[in-house]
Amino acid sequence: MKNIAFIYDLDGTLVNGYLYNQCFEKILNLDLLTEWPDVIEKSVENDATPNLYFTYVLVRSMKKYAKETGKTFAQIYDECAGNVKYFDGVTEWFDKINAYGKARGFDIQHYIVSAGDKELISRISIAPHIQKIYANTFIYENGEPVWAANVITSVEKTECIYRISKGKFNTYDATIYDKTNKEHRNVPFENIVYFGDGETDIPSMKLVKNKGGHSVAVYGENKERAQKLLNDNRVSAIAPADYTEGSALYNYICATIDRIATRQNSNSITK
């Protein structure tokens, strides 16, 4: 059975809003939108990556909460992970689209590539459907994070896509830079579908689209941002972030699977 890879951003793509806000705001009193101007200011002062600086803010808040409550970091993550609000149809999406793909001879692999916290993402309800999560991680000592292990930015997202395509999944695996012929790849680029929602997804959207794959910008209330991505030739299509069966997004993805199947069947006949 041949592979198709669905690669998702998380915030604003599968999650209706920001995962950090939904999971941490009530428990840690940490609001990403409120904190962000200060994060940007401190990032400028320290010539730092904003996502990495916010990770520092998050860890500081978690350590404070852990000290006040006596809870471990693992317990805090478990407590926070149940507060996720997905877009309509997300929780049913994976089983339904997997069945559609299987009926057409494909094994659909699902990946998340996010600037969020992997420890948190790995605990949310859709995590069992995901083959691998690429997100920010820490080095731990005595159950607490002491240093950043991986930080996912817009540029690192593109490397993750190459890892998925080549089947070189581990971040430390330097053989990703070796030439890998199409027939030896886990998923060729034309069998990759990237789902995103905004500016931080542009390098990934453009990479997948330029390599013959399919990039889709989904939107909640802000259609203008998605429309601009389409107008600027960053994506193949845009659709409301509604993953329910029969929605515009669902139908477009099913049609995309059909097109991939037709192309591969045609290639088999001509060989």
Side-chain angles (χ1 to χ4, degrees):
M1 188 171 288
K2 297 179 177 65
N3 295 333
I4 293 176
F6 286 180
I7 304 175
Y8 310 88
D9 173 52
L10 191 65
D11 294 337
T13 300
L14 295 174
V15 172
N16 189 355
Y18 290 100
L19 186 68
Y20 277 136
N21 272 17
Q22 293 180 14
C23 294
F24 291 132
E25 185 175 6
K26 291 182 179 178
I27 295 171
L28 302 182
N29 193 30
L30 185 63
D31 185 330
L32 174 61
L33 296 178
T34 301
E35 293 280 350
W36 198 248
D38 184 61
V39 167
I40 295 298
E41 181 180 343
K42 292 294 195 299
S43 298
V44 170
E45 289 177 7
N46 295 280
D47 194 21
T49 302
N51 284 347
L52 185 56
Y53 188 84
F54 182 77
T55 299
Y56 159 73
V57 174
L58 172 63
V59 170
R60 183 179 62 191
S61 298
M62 290 185 71
K63 285 185 175 180
K64 181 174 181 292
Y65 184 71
K67 185 176 181 180
E68 292 171 349
T69 62
K71 294 181 178 179
T72 65
F73 269 64
Q75 289 171 332
I76 297 171
Y77 278 123
D78 287 338
E79 183 180 359
C80 294
N83 299 323
V84 184
K85 297 180 179 66
Y86 303 104
F87 283 111
D88 290 344
V90 166
T91 54
E92 299 82 25
W93 162 262
F94 301 96
D95 287 337
K96 289 183 177 180
I97 209 68
N98 286 351
Y100 191 93
K102 186 175 182 180
R104 283 144 186 83
F106 293 104
D107 178 21
I108 297 180
Q109 304 172 350
H110 302 274
Y111 301 89
I112 287 176
V113 181
S114 169
D117 189 314
K118 185 177 180 179
E119 286 290 337
L120 176 63
I121 298 170
S122 65
R123 288 167 163 81
I124 65 177
S125 63
I126 63 171
H129 297 287
I130 307 301
Q131 266 72 22
K132 188 169 180 65
I133 298 166
Y134 291 96
N136 298 342
T137 59
F138 301 105
I139 296 169
Y140 280 82
E141 290 182 0
N142 300 319
E144 289 194 0
V146 295
W147 202 260
N150 286 298
V151 178
I152 302 297
T153 67
S154 299
V155 175
E156 276 73 28
K157 282 186 176 186
T158 61
E159 181 177 302
C160 295
I161 294 171
Y162 274 105
R163 290 194 176 281
I164 292 165
S165 176
K166 292 186 175 187
K168 308 289 186 179
F169 298 111
N170 295 320
T171 305
Y172 57 78
D173 188 351
T175 63
I176 185 180
Y177 304 112
D178 296 344
K179 182 177 175 59
T180 306
N181 293 331
K182 180 178 173 180
E183 59 270 21
H184 296 136
R185 289 186 176 234
N186 171 50
V187 185
F189 265 92
E190 55 263 37
N191 286 19
I192 292 177
V193 184
Y194 185 89
F195 299 77
D197 72 296
E199 289 76 10
T200 59
D201 297 305
I202 287 175
S204 297
M205 290 171 166
K206 193 69 174 177
L207 170 66
V208 172
K209 186 174 184 294
N210 285 351
K211 290 283 190 178
H214 313 268
S215 294
V216 183
V218 302
Y219 59 89
E221 297 178 357
N222 190 355
K223 182 179 179 180
E224 290 182 4
R225 183 169 61 181
Q227 186 65 54
K228 187 176 188 304
L229 292 170
L230 184 64
N231 294 345
D232 292 344
N233 199 31
R234 309 290 193 177
V235 296
S236 313
I238 65 173
D242 180 357
Y243 293 79
T244 56
E245 188 172 2
S247 68
L249 178 61
Y250 185 94
N251 291 340
Y252 176 80
I253 295 303
C254 289
T256 299
I257 294 171
D258 292 342
R259 285 194 295 272
I260 294 172
T262 299
R263 186 193 68 246
Q264 294 204 347
N265 289 337
S266 176
N267 290 343
S268 297
I269 292 170
T270 56
K271 285 183 179 179

